[in-house]
Amino acid sequence: MSTPSDELPEGEGEVRSPEQLAEDTVVSHVLDAIRGGESPDVVPAQSTVIGFAEFLAADAELDRRAPETVIEPSLERIAALVDVLGDPHRGYPIVHLTGTNGKTSTSRMVDALLTEIGLRTGRYTSPHLQRVTERITIDNRPITPERFVEIYRDVLPFAEMVDAKLGTLSKFEVLTAMGFSAFADAPVEAAVIEVGLGGRWDATNVADGNVAVITPIGLDHQEFLGTDILGIAREKAGIIKPGAVAVLAAQDKAVAEVLLERCVEVDAQVAREGAEFGVREREIAVGGQRLTLQGLAGTYDDIFLPLHGEHQASNAVLALAAAEALIGAGPRQPLDPDAVRAAFAGVASPGRLERVAAGQGVPTVLIDAAHNPAGARALATALTTDFRFTRLVGVLAVMRDKDVRGILEELEPVLHEVVVTANSSPRVMDPDELGALAVEVFGSDRVSVEPVLATAVEQAGELAEEAGESGVGVVVTGSVVTAGEVRALFAKEPL
């Protein structure tokens, strides 16, 4: 007969010894001290408490470096780092993406397409919604916290060498080198790399993309990139390298001319949305949309994309053209249509008009990472065309360095009321200040101020329910940080 200490509690795994339990308790206290906040992170199912504590400690170390919003017009440090690491960014073909909006969704779609046609892929995107491991994925899955720590420890001695010689590397530079290294170690057969900020001087631009994808360009990060949209276009055009294929989203005429000038300068091939490829048909469907896409190699019909908004249809055809360009698909050898359909049908883009709650008698809750006027405009259009809300309440937390009035003005026509709040970022606009701006745009009777994000979401739900139980919703937006924290509130796992 077994003793109580030998028994396995129902539904539990191995029983831990008193010493192990004590150790876990101590580390749990450490974890709580490290993470804190209104919606603290939780230990992933595949990680131990100790392993996750090590991950959080490594991330905290990275946070002591210059933030990724700090851009210096030089690739000297990152070039030195990848050089001492053995040029891990040279071992696989690259699809490199920049633009103002749509980069992450398009990156995920390119990744899905390349995976479905049989390539082992790596993907590097930023910023993350909930956990920094989201930024480095292998085979369409984020690396584990334990693997993050391994890569960090491998890269750190070399980073410290560069720190000592050329000045301290930024967090983004180290993360970029970690991504390149993870892909080389895997090894991957193709990498999808998203620019962090800008293009020419972004740390990712130490790599030479075989395909350079440029999503729509508008104004954002003006404090770093300026307000001259043509100057911003020139910065972003810097990812187009000699001999590459440039896959260009539809742009304002003057922006398009800047991009084409760069293509001529470096002898890059050009593929343009609306000319060489484009969306031929779009039909709203339950849970997304059904598309017919004209790619570089042919037409692909009956594609279901489980994402909302015309902008996501454009992202999809941009991704299709990029994947075709990378593998050299053409009219005589197009991609397998069934593989294209399967890839798009399985795409997820967390925090992009993502439904996190719905059901009988409760408001639908959507989250979207729109953080500039162009993103807010795309969100507003999608809310109008793809949904039929009788009452829609917004929850808004925005960074103070954004065009906040522009965001508010784009959202005002589609929101019945707005609850302004704050997220955990030190850059977030004070709720009272945001509320005053919102009153100027919406009027005082349509604006509420609630400093605590979780409470703001609850309040928005109650306001929506005043219109009844059917056709009411809440949309939470204004920042990637806001979207990520609300995903956590609804217990969504990082993807």
Side-chain angles (χ1 to χ4, degrees), residues 20-53:
Q20 290 172 317
L21 289 171
E23 185 178 49
D24 279 1
T25 300
V26 170
V27 177
S28 292
H29 285 299
V30 173
L31 277 175
D32 289 339
I34 293 174
R35 61 199 181 193
E38 291 293 328
S39 54
D41 207 346
V42 295
V43 180
Q46 74 272 29
S47 296
T48 65
V49 172
I50 292 173
F52 195 58

Side-chain angles (χ1 to χ4, degrees), residues 292-306:
T292 297
L293 303 179
Q294 176 64 54
L296 301 177
T299 301
Y300 305 82
D301 61 8
D302 198 26
I303 293 170
F304 175 68
L305 180 68

Side-chain angles (χ1 to χ4, degrees), residues 354-436:
E354 179 185 12
R355 192 190 312 261
V356 294
Q360 187 67 33
V362 297
T364 296
V365 179
L366 303 169
I367 58 173
D368 193 87
H371 54 274
N372 54 47
R377 186 180 313 123
L379 169 60
T381 299
L383 288 169
T384 302
T385 60
D386 290 28
F387 297 88
R388 293 292 180 268
F389 288 112
T390 57
R391 184 176 180 83
L392 183 63
V393 179
V395 176
L396 198 65
V398 189
M399 301 306 177
R400 60 177 175 271
D401 51 14
K402 298 296 181 180
D403 180 0
V404 180
R405 179 178 290 276
I407 294 170
L408 290 166
E409 289 174 345
E410 294 292 348
L411 294 175
E412 187 275 332
V414 300
L415 300 179
H416 292 85
E417 294 185 57
V418 64
V419 182
V420 301
T421 185
N423 57 45
S424 65
S425 171
R427 293 169 49 219
V428 74
M429 177 173 276
D430 177 80
D432 289 330
E433 184 181 354
L434 178 55

Side-chain angles (χ1 to χ4, degrees), residues 67-406:
E68 48 206 303
T69 52
V70 174
I71 297 180
E72 294 183 19
S74 171
L75 297 178
E76 183 182 21
R77 289 196 306 256
I78 182 64
L81 180 54
V82 293
D83 179 57
V84 294
L85 287 170
D87 290 332
H89 58 309
R90 304 291 185 197
Y92 35 81
I94 289 174
V95 177
H96 199 184
L97 300 95
T98 191
T100 302
N101 291 305
K103 298 185 294 297
T104 298
S105 292
T106 306
S107 295
R108 285 175 170 270
M109 294 183 206
V110 175
D111 197 354
L113 285 162
L114 296 179
T115 297
E116 194 64 40
I117 63 178
L119 297 181
R120 188 171 202 206
T121 61
R123 184 178 74 239
Y124 180 69
T125 57
S126 61
H128 58 277
L129 279 167
Q130 294 166 262
R131 191 178 297 148
V132 71
T133 51
E134 299 166 34
R135 300 187 183 209
I136 303 172
T137 73
I138 306 289
D139 296 327
N140 273 283
R141 291 188 300 273
I143 60 172
T144 64
E146 285 80 3
R147 180 62 182 139
F148 183 94
V149 172
E150 290 174 359
I151 301 165
Y152 174 68
R153 288 175 175 167
D154 287 344
V155 169
L156 182 59
F158 299 97
E160 290 174 337
M161 289 169 53
V162 175
D163 290 342
K165 184 176 180 181
L166 299 175
T168 305
L169 290 149
S170 70
K171 176 179 180 176
F172 187 74
E173 286 171 325
V174 176
L175 283 171
T176 300
M178 288 172 60
F180 289 145
S181 296
F183 301 155
D185 289 347
V188 303
E189 297 169 290
V192 182
I193 308 292
E194 177 189 337
V195 160
L197 195 61
R200 180 168 50 149
W201 301 118
D202 187 77
T204 62
N205 205 33
V206 72
D208 295 327
N210 304 72
V211 178
V213 178
I214 303 192
T215 69
I217 293 174
L219 292 177
D220 194 14
H221 301 293
Q222 291 98 314
E223 70 278 22
F224 307 112
L225 301 177
T227 57
D228 175 11
I229 195 167
L230 299 187
I232 292 172
R234 292 186 190 95
E235 285 298 310
K236 294 183 185 294
I239 75 163
I240 303 172
K241 301 296 178 65
V245 179
V247 177
L248 309 179
Q251 307 283 354
D252 289 340
K253 182 179 178 182
V255 169
E257 289 175 355
V258 169
L259 301 180
L260 292 173
E261 286 172 5
R262 171 66 178 179
C263 293
V264 171
E265 177 187 339
V266 299
D267 194 26
Q269 299 179 62
V270 178
R272 298 159 296 171
E273 182 183 5
E276 286 76 22
F277 64 92
V279 179
R280 294 186 61 174
E281 294 180 12
R282 174 179 180 263
E283 178 185 357
I284 297 170
V286 176
Q289 52 194 305
R290 199 163 296 280
L291 308 171
T292 297
L293 303 179
Q294 176 64 54
L296 301 177
T299 301
Y300 305 82
D301 61 8
D302 198 26
I303 293 170
F304 175 68
L305 180 68
L307 302 174
H308 297 284
E310 186 176 1
H311 61 292
Q312 292 290 16
S314 293
N315 290 339
V317 79
L318 196 64
L320 175 63
E324 290 176 316
L326 187 74
I327 68 168
R332 294 184 179 180
Q333 193 174 9
L335 300 181
D336 177 0
D338 288 335
V340 172
R341 293 186 189 106
F344 281 121
V347 164
S349 194
R352 277 72 184 179
L353 253 178
E354 179 185 12
R355 192 190 312 261
V356 294
Q360 187 67 33
V362 297
T364 296
V365 179
L366 303 169
I367 58 173
D368 193 87
H371 54 274
N372 54 47
R377 186 180 313 123
L379 169 60
T381 299
L383 288 169
T384 302
T385 60
D386 290 28
F387 297 88
R388 293 292 180 268
F389 288 112
T390 57
R391 184 176 180 83
L392 183 63
V393 179
V395 176
L396 198 65
V398 189
M399 301 306 177
R400 60 177 175 271
D401 51 14
K402 298 296 181 180
D403 180 0
V404 180
R405 179 178 290 276

